[in-house]
Amino acid sequence: MTPTHRGPLVSAGMLLGVGLGGFVDGILFHQILQWHNMLSSRIPPTDLVAMKTNMLWDGLFHAFTWLTTAVGLGRLWRAGQRADVPWSTRTFVGSLLLGWGLFNVVEGIIDHQILELHHLHPGEGQLSWDVGFLVVSALLLGGGWALVNSGRNDVEPRGM
Amino acid sequence: MGRLGRPYLAVCRGSTRGYGEDMLVLACPRCSTADAVRAEVFGDGFWENLGVLSLPLVIAVVIGGALHRMPLRGGRRRS
């Protein structure tokens, strides 16, 4: 059977990209750099109670990203069992980037700008950081789309 | 949106009587700080707040999942 459906691979890659992209945000920006927390613009972490409140919401955010990653892994497993799904590295890596960029764009628009739950790097010039974040996200989306597109003719099945 | 942004120092103010506000910042003498925070976060408005905070991920997941049926038609090229 010639693989003709890459949707399952794209879907799995995108879900994994959304989940892993969320982990990058949480681990890098929340924990290592400590630029912001989930609600740091609403509840500034200026005392232990406020900090722990932000930590709890950070934890719930990470629970969602974990679930998304787990679902993506499950879909990848299912896709690997199908003979009609091409096992294309370009399609998969592009989908990962698409998912990461998609998460960042939605996060950057809804959380940073509309709800103003937090900003990437609050303080002076926070808008520039937020815009830069969206630009990088758009680059991830563009790069991901280009990779997915470049693999549109890949028809090699898994294990070949 | 729920009770986000409400001053959390009000969580267990009753227990600060006789101890002063500073005690609440470090440790609540009657209930632990973590208990107080959990009680506040998981209290009224929790599901509403959770819905709002999970919105970006939900949107991204829905879009990602919708691509499940994306077809492939084309020639042969090794990946």
Side-chain angles (χ1 to χ4, degrees):
Chain A
M1 176 187 291
T2 302
T4 55
H5 289 89
R6 59 179 180 158
L9 185 61
V10 173
S11 171
M14 281 194 69
L15 290 174
L16 282 168
V18 168
L20 293 174
F23 278 128
V24 168
D25 190 292
I27 293 170
L28 183 63
F29 298 132
H30 295 208
Q31 295 173 329
I32 295 178
L33 297 176
Q34 304 202 359
W35 282 359
H36 66 254
N37 294 99
M38 201 63 214
L39 295 180
S40 50
S41 289
R42 296 291 189 97
I43 306 169
T46 52
D47 58 50
L48 186 62
V49 173
M51 186 66 240
K52 288 177 80 70
T53 301
N54 271 283
M55 284 169 63
L56 199 159
W57 282 109
D58 285 350
L60 290 171
F61 165 70
H62 278 132
F64 267 98
T65 57
W66 187 92
L67 279 175
T68 306
T69 304
V71 171
L73 194 57
R75 286 207 169 196
L76 183 64
W77 181 260
R78 294 282 298 274
Q81 293 175 321
R82 290 177 53 167
D84 63 336
V85 176
W87 211 240
S88 163
T89 301
R90 284 179 294 198
T91 301
F92 180 60
V93 174
S95 303
L96 286 173
L97 295 180
L98 267 180
W100 188 4
L102 179 65
F103 166 80
N104 281 6
V105 165
V106 178
E107 150 102 349
I109 292 174
I110 294 182
D111 284 352
H112 295 176
Q113 304 305 321
I114 296 177
L115 299 177
E116 292 198 79
L117 298 178
H118 58 255
H119 295 280
L120 180 67
H121 192 271
E124 200 171 326
Q126 68 182 18
L127 182 61
S128 303
W129 285 98
D130 286 346
V131 170
F133 182 78
L134 283 172
V135 169
V136 171
S137 307
L139 291 175
L140 285 170
L141 276 177
W145 178 254
L147 263 179
V148 169
N149 206 34
S150 73
R152 67 185 180 282
N153 291 326
D154 293 345
V155 292
E156 209 67 60
R158 191 168 70 89
M160 297 296 288
Chain B
M1 161 197 275
R3 301 200 297 179
L4 295 181
R6 186 174 166 224
Y8 278 79
L9 283 177
V11 168
C12 46
R13 178 159 289 159
S15 62
T16 64
R17 287 177 196 148
Y19 298 96
E21 290 286 333
D22 290 345
M23 289 294 291
L24 184 59
V25 173
L26 296 174
C28 174
R30 193 171 63 186
C31 53
S32 76
T33 311
D35 287 342
V37 167
R38 277 196 297 268
E40 176 67 10
V41 172
F42 291 120
D44 294 341
F46 170 70
W47 292 107
E48 183 185 347
N49 293 335
L50 187 68
V52 170
L53 293 174
S54 63
L55 196 58
L57 271 172
V58 170
I59 291 174
V61 165
V62 167
I63 294 175
L67 292 174
H68 185 74
R69 297 185 181 281
M70 183 179 183
L72 166 72
R73 297 279 182 245
R76 297 170 185 278
R77 188 193 300 173
R78 297 187 68 88
S79 60

